[in-house]
Amino acid sequence: MILSRRNRFVFVKTIKTASTSIELFLSRFAGPDDVITYLPPPDEAIRRETGGRGPQNCYNPSWKRNLLRLSGKSRHDAAHSIHHNISAAELRSRFPNEWETFLTFTIVRNPFDRAISKFFNDHKGEAIVRRQQSRHHTDAQINAYICALPDTDLTNWHLYADGDGILVKDVIRYESLADDLGKVLHKMGLEAAIELPRAKGSWRLDHRHYSEILDSRTRARIETAASRELQAFGYQWKSVGS
């Protein structure tokens, strides 16, 4: 997540939508007073290499953290830290003035395709071995895993919406990422070549169309869990070639 006072925007991060790559890109434009949440070490290494600012202004001072720890609260308790997948509703509550006056935006992705990406991300520890052995997970393994996921892992709706209402002002689509991001940058008065660092995309070993992998049970499971997202953005099940 990035809240930029320098460029007056709030980027709400979602899961398995290229959000990390966008966050790495946007952190290049951040100033010292902006809020930037942490990323895993490999992504922070990419951020340093590409000239972006690292995590800042997302934790309370150490003395306050120590007081909270002594009172029995976790160091990472949401009451005194801002994590990278903080929801739009939480951000609106914590930064009401910025939320109302800044450009707020997020990114969405077809839930069927995103579910497969989620599977491979969660199994990334196996990816290196399977790549070396030229083996892939079976369709049955992928479907069983996805069907067992909780609803919040099959949709990002809860991160950028509140009930039936979308809270952000702009939405980038994964399927038209460069064009949509360019339009958002233009609104912020930032004219820059869009060169997104590649983060986490190498874990997916099977790049077939989702309709060739997901079975009818998994399709129904995703349609139920992501119903509001599907309706809001017009995502529909499509077979390969259609």
Side-chain angles (χ1 to χ4, degrees):
M1 188 283 296
I2 296 180
L3 184 152
S4 176
R5 295 186 171 91
R6 169 179 282 181
N7 294 299
R8 299 178 62 82
F9 73 80
V10 181
F11 173 59
V12 179
K13 189 174 182 181
T14 48
I15 300 170
K16 299 315 302 171
T17 58
S19 276
T20 297
S21 294
I22 292 178
E23 189 172 13
L24 293 172
F25 174 75
L26 291 173
S27 63
R28 292 163 43 193
F29 306 102
D33 296 325
D34 295 351
V35 178
I36 303 174
T37 53
Y38 72 92
L39 292 170
D43 297 323
E44 288 295 351
I46 296 174
R47 178 141 58 186
R48 289 192 297 272
E49 291 170 4
T50 55
R53 280 183 176 268
Q56 59 180 34
N57 304 319
C58 55
Y59 293 110
N60 276 341
S62 59
W63 64 267
K64 185 176 286 189
R65 295 202 302 273
N66 289 332
L67 284 177
L68 288 164
R69 191 181 299 112
L70 290 172
S71 69
K73 293 185 178 181
S74 165
R75 181 168 62 91
H76 297 295
D77 190 276
H80 62 96
S81 66
I82 304 171
H83 56 91
H84 60 297
N85 286 130
I86 187 171
S87 70
E90 290 180 86
L91 286 167
R92 182 180 62 175
S93 175
R94 294 198 193 192
F95 304 98
N97 293 332
E98 290 89 343
W99 189 263
E100 290 301 319
T101 58
F102 289 6
L103 176 64
T104 58
F105 63 100
T106 192
I107 179 169
V108 298
R109 181 179 184 179
N110 185 313
F112 301 114
D113 192 49
R114 196 185 74 86
I116 296 173
S117 184
K118 167 73 174 166
F119 170 87
F120 282 103
N121 180 77
D122 291 355
H123 291 79
K124 56 182 175 285
E126 304 172 25
I128 296 174
V129 174
R130 288 183 176 271
R131 186 179 291 112
Q132 292 172 341
Q133 297 175 346
S134 298
R135 293 192 298 115
H136 297 280
H137 294 89
T138 66
D139 292 355
Q141 289 173 318
I142 296 173
N143 281 279
Y145 184 82
I146 292 173
C147 280
L149 289 172
D151 286 1
T152 50
D153 279 346
L154 295 175
T155 180
N156 280 316
W157 185 262
H158 58 289
L159 293 176
Y160 58 80
D162 187 9
D164 291 326
I166 296 173
L167 298 180
V168 295
K169 296 171 184 174
D170 269 281
V171 175
I172 295 170
R173 288 179 182 260
Y174 178 90
E175 297 78 15
S176 52
L177 194 156
D179 287 344
D180 289 356
L181 179 56
K183 292 174 183 175
V184 169
L185 291 177
H186 182 73
K187 289 182 180 181
M188 294 188 292
L190 296 174
E191 302 295 338
I194 298 175
E195 299 175 353
L196 297 180
R198 186 172 176 82
K200 304 179 182 178
S202 61
W203 299 120
R204 183 165 175 172
L205 302 180
D206 191 334
H207 293 280
R208 287 178 295 160
H209 190 268
Y210 62 78
S211 65
E212 297 181 276
I213 300 173
L214 304 180
D215 59 25
S216 59
R217 177 169 173 260
T218 308
R219 172 185 172 179
R221 175 79 181 87
I222 295 171
E223 286 176 339
T224 298
S227 59
R228 287 181 291 193
E229 201 162 32
L230 290 164
Q231 181 177 5
F233 300 105
Y235 286 120
Q236 295 179 341
W237 176 275
K238 293 183 178 180
S239 298
V240 62
S242 63

